[in-house]
């Protein structure tokens, strides 16, 4: 038996290829939308991908089930409570799929979503009675459980889903042997939970002992626990959850239309018609020269998540990228279903440098300089764009707190007649926020290089 995990750091997403060497059959579970790696690895191992499973309709990314259906002929399997525009095989409680030495068996585990399933994986050469692993989707994470609030807007309350989640955990998953390997669909950094570990695999026994949500408690206590202090969910989550149910264009089809270079004049004309511009270069490069109105979301961080949070999914998108990274920029937008890309600036930002007055530069500032300016007679305002939990641990005294995910809606709270220094944990989100502020007419904006980490490294005081 082959059981291979694929981990996509940008979306903190895990997918799986399960194969049997004797029959040459493979299954992919919860694939990302760009599916080349599964096809290439299966071919290298002498396997054919005949089945694709979704443990549920994911909200944070567009899954690759249709791509694998179209390119490999794979049959799609979903939980029996699922409804979709495309044909699929219901895979409900105790349903089995056996090929060679591999047996897959379904557990219906609603809670994160109503249609969620977990998949028991048996290596029949070792045991037909005890599963080697369980693929838990977003029901059980390493160190956490799936959040139950993402479907509250479509007629199922968070409390109802939390009650289902409690039953799924205690009546299904926690009855498995302690040595069962737990493989979830997400890890640390995903917004599908609130306390996920950086580990991508564990055992059920370890989770039973250390996972805060699996400790002995009543259902009422559990519901209260998992429905409080939840992180904000980006607006694109509802869009992706709905799109994963639909028959839609493949990533390959979308890229065939969008992956094209535009001349500077074509690019500027589309911008004038209302297209939004995302610049995917790193903050240092962006600061040296940028096109006014651009939103800077660098490829080095959680690019897709922040693009999905801050870009308007209903408007066309134009891309400025470091030459050679245009396709990566568009593929990573495609992973969250943002297919309305009209093209990229041919030649990158250098194509605009010959046009006088077109580009501007952005100021960045060190922690020591910020401290000096805060002690002056005309201090700047420090804007902290981290999440509430981060700020609760430590903050720069006197700073204003608006999380990056709320910033566009709360611009009226920021004074326009005072210099603004934007700060986050390490500098990635502050660069995004600073570009958003400039995009909205704030002229005296700098971002703190290195964030609060650089502030502390300079031995400057924080408030705990």
């Amino acid at each position: 038996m082959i059981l291979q995990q694929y981990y996509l750091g940008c979306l903190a997403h895990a997918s799986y290829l399960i194969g049997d060497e004797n029959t040459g059959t493979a299954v992919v579970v919860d694939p990302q939308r760009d599916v080349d790696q599964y096809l290439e690895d299966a071919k290298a191992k002498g396997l054919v991908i005949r089945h694709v499973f979704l443990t549920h309709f994911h909200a944070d990314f567009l899954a690759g089930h249709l791509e694998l259906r179209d390119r490999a002929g794979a049959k799609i399997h979903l939980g029996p409570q699922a409804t979709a525009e495309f044909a699929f095989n219901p895979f409900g409680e105790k349903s089995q799929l056996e090929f060679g030495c591999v047996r897959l068996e379904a557990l219906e585990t609603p809670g994160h979503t109503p249609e969620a399933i977990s998949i028991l994986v048996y290596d029949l050469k070792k045991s037909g009675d005890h599963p080697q692993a369980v693929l838990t989707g977003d029901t059980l994470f390493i160190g956490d459980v799936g959040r139950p609030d993402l479907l509250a807007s479509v007629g199922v309350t968070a409390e109802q889903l939390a009650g289902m989640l409690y039953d799924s955990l205690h009546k299904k998953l926690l009855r498995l042997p302690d040595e069962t390997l737990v493989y979830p669909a997400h890890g640390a950094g995903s917004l599908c939970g609130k306390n996920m570990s950086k580990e991508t695999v564990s055992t059920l026994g370890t989770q039973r002992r250390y996972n805060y949500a699996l400790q002995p408690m009543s259902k009422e206590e559990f519901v209260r626990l998992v429905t409080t202090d939840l992180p904000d969910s980006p607006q694109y989550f509802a869009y992706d959850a709905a799109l994963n149910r639909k028959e839609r264009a493949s990533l390959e089809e979308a890229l065939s239309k969008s992956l094209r270079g535009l001349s500077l004049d074509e690019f500027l004309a589309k911008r004038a018609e209302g297209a939004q511009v995302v610049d995917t270069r790193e903050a240092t490069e962006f600061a040296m020269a940028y096109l006014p109105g651009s939103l800077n979301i660098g490829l080095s961080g959680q690019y897709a998540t922040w693009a999905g949070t801050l870009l308007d999914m209903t408007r066309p998108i134009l891309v400025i990228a470091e030459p050679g990274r245009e396709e990566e920029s568009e593929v990573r937008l495609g992973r969250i279903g943002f297919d309305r890309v009209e093209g990229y600036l041919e030649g990158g930002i250098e194509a605009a440098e010959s046009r006088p007055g077109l580009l501007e530069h952005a100021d960045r500032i060190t922690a020591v300089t910020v401290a000096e300016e805060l002690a002056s007679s005309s201090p700047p305002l420090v804007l902290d764009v981290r999440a509430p939990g981060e700020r609760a641990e430590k903050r720069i005294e006197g700073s204003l707190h608006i999380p990056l995910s709320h910033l566009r809606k709360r611009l009226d709270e920021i004074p326009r007649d005072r210099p603004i220094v934007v700060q986050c944990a390490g500098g990635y989100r502050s660069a995004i926020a600073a570009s958003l502020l400039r995009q909205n007419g704030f002229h005296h904006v700098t971002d703190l290089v290195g964030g609060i980490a650089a502030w502390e490294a300079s031995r400057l005081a924080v408030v705990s």
Side-chain angles (χ1 to χ4, degrees), residues 416-428:
R416 292 179 178 268
D417 58 353
R418 186 176 173 187
I420 307 296
V421 175
V422 191
Q423 164 256 312
C424 66
Y428 180 76

Side-chain angles (χ1 to χ4, degrees), residues 50-273:
R50 305 185 190 279
H51 306 273
V52 56
F53 287 79
L54 295 188
T55 55
H56 64 290
F57 291 120
H58 295 272
D60 60 319
F61 71 96
L62 207 56
H65 49 296
L66 300 185
E67 282 77 4
L68 286 174
R69 178 199 66 185
D70 294 345
R71 293 181 61 182
K75 295 179 180 179
I76 300 172
H77 303 262
L78 304 171
Q81 300 305 313
T83 58
E85 291 182 354
F86 49 83
F88 68 89
N89 296 318
F91 199 65
E93 187 74 19
K94 301 298 183 182
S95 294
Q96 294 185 355
L97 175 66
E98 190 167 314
F99 48 98
C101 66
V102 178
R103 182 199 302 147
L104 306 180
E105 183 177 317
L107 296 177
E108 292 185 42
T109 52
H112 178 67
T113 64
E115 79 286 349
I117 60 172
S118 297
I119 301 173
L120 298 174
V121 182
Y122 291 85
D123 183 343
L124 298 179
K125 287 187 175 180
K126 295 180 179 179
S127 174
D129 298 319
H130 300 290
Q132 178 174 325
V134 58
L135 309 186
T136 55
D138 286 14
T139 300
L140 174 61
F141 297 124
I142 310 305
D144 201 358
V145 294
R147 59 190 292 179
D149 65 315
L150 297 182
L151 285 180
S153 62
V154 292
V156 186
T157 69
E159 288 73 20
Q160 288 172 321
L161 283 169
M164 297 179 198
L165 183 60
Y166 180 89
D167 290 338
S168 295
L169 293 167
H170 289 269
K171 295 180 180 180
K172 303 283 182 70
L173 294 176
L174 286 175
R175 294 185 178 180
L176 298 173
D178 278 353
E179 62 271 18
T180 307
L181 295 172
V182 176
Y183 287 104
H186 289 99
S190 169
L191 293 174
C192 293
K194 60 182 180 180
N195 191 46
M196 281 182 258
S197 168
K198 293 181 180 179
E199 301 298 321
T200 61
V201 62
S202 182
T203 65
L204 192 61
T206 300
Q207 291 309 295
R208 195 192 310 275
R209 183 174 180 183
Y210 294 111
N211 189 318
Y212 76 97
L214 302 185
Q215 302 314 301
M217 68 185 82
S218 68
K219 181 185 285 192
E220 291 73 20
E221 291 173 310
F222 177 87
V223 169
R224 284 195 298 271
L225 179 66
V226 301
T227 55
T228 57
D229 298 325
L230 292 167
D232 293 327
S233 60
Q235 290 185 353
Y236 84 93
F237 272 28
Y239 173 75
D240 276 17
L243 201 54
N244 273 320
R245 300 172 182 267
K246 294 181 178 180
E247 187 71 48
R248 41 94 184 148
S250 69
L251 179 61
E252 197 172 33
E253 291 170 328
L255 290 175
S256 69
K257 299 175 182 178
S258 67
L259 193 58
R260 58 194 183 101
L262 301 173
S263 70
L264 179 60
D265 287 335
E266 289 175 316
F267 193 93
L268 294 176
K270 289 182 180 296
R271 185 184 68 159
E273 293 168 0

Side-chain angles (χ1 to χ4, degrees), residues 307-452:
T309 301
L310 299 173
L311 293 176
D312 185 343
M313 65 192 74
T314 67
R315 291 173 55 199
I317 299 169
L318 297 169
V319 171
I320 297 175
E322 179 184 339
R325 303 194 75 178
E326 298 91 353
E327 183 172 1
E328 179 186 356
S329 300
E330 292 198 24
V331 166
R332 289 170 68 175
L333 288 174
R335 286 174 181 162
I336 58 169
F338 278 47
D339 289 348
R340 293 197 64 188
V341 180
E342 303 246 320
Y344 58 86
L345 180 58
E346 186 73 56
I349 201 68
E350 291 184 5
E353 290 179 349
S354 61
R355 191 75 57 90
L358 185 59
L359 301 181
E360 296 182 2
H361 76 276
D363 293 326
R364 310 186 77 207
I365 193 168
T366 65
V368 171
T369 304
V370 173
E372 291 171 352
E373 292 188 359
L374 288 174
S376 71
S377 58
S378 300
L381 174 67
V382 176
L383 175 62
D384 183 348
V385 297
R386 296 174 300 157
E390 295 173 279
R391 182 174 172 85
E393 292 181 4
K394 54 192 172 186
R395 67 185 188 278
I396 297 174
E397 187 171 10
S399 57
L400 172 66
H401 180 230
I402 303 178
L404 177 54
S405 57
H406 295 184
L407 186 57
R408 195 182 293 280
K409 294 180 179 179
R410 295 174 60 183
L411 293 173
D412 290 346
E413 299 177 31
I414 305 170
R416 292 179 178 268
D417 58 353
R418 186 176 173 187
I420 307 296
V421 175
V422 191
Q423 164 256 312
C424 66
Y428 180 76
R429 286 170 290 176
S430 65
I432 299 172
S435 70
L436 190 152
L437 291 175
R438 295 187 195 100
Q439 186 185 64
N440 285 275
F442 289 82
H443 301 297
H444 304 291
V445 179
T446 57
D447 75 287
L448 175 56
V449 177
I452 201 166

